[in-house]
Amino acid sequence: NYMNDLKTRAASQGYESGYTMFQNASLGLQFSPRYDGTPDYPAVNLGIGFSSTSADLNSIGAIHCHLDNGSTYKIFSFQDMIALAEFASISTQPTAQFGIYVVTSSGTFCIKIKNKIQLKDRKNIMIGTQGAYEDKFDKLVDKSKPVDEQVLGFLQFLKAEKFNQSIELFEKDETTNQWNKLELTPNGKDKNPTTC
C-alpha cells in the first residue's frame, strides 16, 4: 500500500515523499508517518526514533519516491547509498532486514546490504568525499537517460567503486510482482537478472 501510494505521488507531485521502516520484535514491520519534500526543496529527509517501538536501534531502512521527471534519478542516488550506510551504523537489526526502496513511474527498486561491516566502515568516507563520489556517479548514471541505462550505470558504479561487495540491487517486475537481483554480466555491459 505504501509503495502504491508513493508510485502515485511520484507521478503527480513535484517533490519526494517517503517513510522510515522499523522492525519490532513484538509488533513486526512498522512505518513512520509520511515525510514530504516541498516544491522548493523536493528531496525528502527521513527521520528516525519516534517511539519505543520505532527507535533508532529498530530502524531497517526506508521507502521513498523519486520524481522520474529528469530532475531526480529513476533509480537510487548516491545519497540513498549513504542513507543505507547510516541505517546500518545505528541499528542493531540483522543484515538481511536492511533495505532502501525507491519507487518511480519507471519502476520499483531496492538496495540491500550484502556486508554490513564493510558498508559501516565506508560510511564516513562516503560522507567526507561525497562530492567526488557524486561526480563519478553522475558520469555513469545520467538522469536524462531511460531507466535501463540508469540501472546499468548504477551497477557499473557499484563495481567500479567496489560497493558491489557491500550493496546489492534488486528490481521488482511490475507484471509478475517478482523481485529480481540485478548484477553485471561478466563483460560489464549489461545487467543480469536472477529471480529471487
Side-chain angles (χ1 to χ4, degrees), residues 49-153:
F50 299 100
S51 68
S52 60
T53 59
S54 299
D56 300 0
L57 297 178
N58 293 339
S59 60
I60 58 169
I63 59 173
H64 68 297
C65 65
H66 284 180
L67 303 181
D68 204 9
N69 63 5
S71 68
T72 60
Y73 299 99
K74 293 173 171 63
I75 58 163
F76 296 98
S77 65
F78 185 71
Q79 181 62 45
D80 293 330
M81 292 172 58
I82 290 175
L84 186 60
E86 289 177 337
F87 282 114
S89 295
I90 61 173
S91 178
T92 59
Q93 296 300 308
T95 300
Q97 293 186 359
F98 289 96
I100 292 189
Y101 297 80
V102 67
V103 178
T104 70
S105 54
S106 294
T108 302
F109 299 92
C110 177
I111 48 177
K112 294 193 66 69
I113 297 176
K114 186 176 184 180
N115 187 315
K116 186 177 178 181
I117 293 170
Q118 281 185 1
L119 188 59
K120 285 170 58 173
D121 287 348
R122 291 189 74 176
K123 183 188 82 160
N124 290 336
I125 295 169
M126 292 167 73
I127 293 169
T129 58
Q130 183 173 348
Y133 272 125
E134 287 182 340
D135 288 344
K136 294 174 186 177
F137 189 91
D138 287 340
K139 287 179 182 168
L140 292 171
V141 186
D142 185 340
K143 291 178 186 174
S144 67
K145 298 288 183 181
V147 68
D148 285 342
E149 290 183 43
Q150 289 190 33
V151 168
L152 181 59

Side-chain angles (χ1 to χ4, degrees), residues 3-17 64-69 72 103-107:
M3 285 187 181
N4 288 337
D5 172 60
L6 290 173
K7 191 172 279 288
T8 300
R9 290 178 182 284
S12 64
Q13 66 187 21
Y15 49 87
E16 297 176 10
S17 295
H64 68 297
C65 65
H66 284 180
L67 303 181
D68 204 9
N69 63 5
T72 60
V103 178
T104 70
S105 54
S106 294

Side-chain angles (χ1 to χ4, degrees), residues 37-51:
T38 67
D40 291 333
Y41 301 98
V44 64
N45 292 314
L46 299 171
I48 54 175
F50 299 100
S51 68

